[in-house]
Amino acid sequence: MSVPNKGQSGKRILVVDDDDAIRNFICEALSEEGYRMQLAANGADALREVSQAAPDLILLDVRMPGVDGWQVLDELRSAAGPQTPVVVMTASYSGQDRALQSGAQGYLAKPFELDDLLECVDLHSRIQLGADLGEARDTPEA
């Protein structure tokens, strides 16, 4: 489900989380910052969202019932393309290491504070990945 943004040129963020409260919190917080939001409750919804409009960043919960979030990460990486950064959101202690080993560009530990979410999204939404998954910051020319 795409949600209209309040900003004019905001980056598109896909949030994949089975928890309605978390999805809605992230959506509201990021919409207020001018991001355009796409929301998905599961991997199938996420792949559908990616096929409709490519996001600039994917926030992915990997602990969803009945689905292997790590497999969803692989599928989203294929569907969205290697240039789309992915940040894994999980409360798992081993999540950070596994996230980075699985090709994610970042990790956001649950539960997180609003400031942590905004800082993480701001940082990772400016990363542009090449086909080799090398990072370059999307910064304005002086």
Side-chain angles (χ1 to χ4, degrees), residues 122-129 134-141:
D122 180 56
L123 171 68
H124 288 93
S125 67
R126 289 184 284 129
I127 293 174
Q128 295 178 333
L129 300 176
E135 297 180 5
R137 301 270 187 241
D138 179 18
T139 54
E141 298 283 327

Side-chain angles (χ1 to χ4, degrees), residues 16-33:
V16 186
D17 198 307
D18 62 302
D19 187 316
D20 290 339
I22 291 173
R23 268 195 332 272
N24 292 334
F25 168 76
I26 294 172
C27 178
E28 185 175 316
L30 297 181
S31 291
E32 288 179 9
E33 296 294 317

